[in-house]
Amino acid sequence: KNVYVICCTTDISGLQKTFQSRAVMYRLSRLSTKEMVSLLAQESSYRNLDIQGGIPTLELIAHWSDQKPRAALKVL
């Protein structure tokens, strides 16, 4: 009762058709530079980090990480 299965993939063709027909699919897109900078600013504030260069540095980190939050947080 009340079992939820969450499956993440970059290639939907690898999933069986029966699974695809029963699943609700959500497509996720990359974050914009503005969203990435906001995320990085929030995280740096939470961690009490002083970022030299401010917003331009966070924009550079967002660019280096190819707009991927996990990669950006590793750089941060």
Side-chain angles (χ1 to χ4, degrees):
K1 187 176 183 181
N2 296 331
V3 174
Y4 297 93
V5 176
I6 298 173
C7 179
C8 300
T9 184
T10 55
D11 183 16
I12 196 168
S13 65
L15 297 175
Q16 293 181 0
K17 296 294 181 191
T18 54
F19 184 79
Q20 290 181 33
S21 68
R22 291 174 175 86
V24 176
M25 299 200 193
Y26 296 97
R27 299 209 182 267
L28 303 177
S29 59
R30 292 184 179 177
L31 298 178
S32 68
T33 300
K34 184 177 179 180
E35 291 169 323
M36 286 288 294
V37 169
S38 176
L39 172 76
L40 292 170
Q42 182 181 9
E43 185 64 20
S44 63
S45 175
Y46 176 75
R47 294 183 187 186
N48 238 2
L49 300 176
D50 183 28
I51 304 299
Q52 294 181 4
I55 298 299
T57 301
L58 297 179
E59 289 173 344
L60 190 59
I61 292 172
H63 176 72
W64 284 342
S65 64
D66 198 27
Q67 306 304 101
K68 297 175 185 170
R70 185 178 2 174
L73 292 174
K74 284 182 182 179
V75 173
L76 186 66

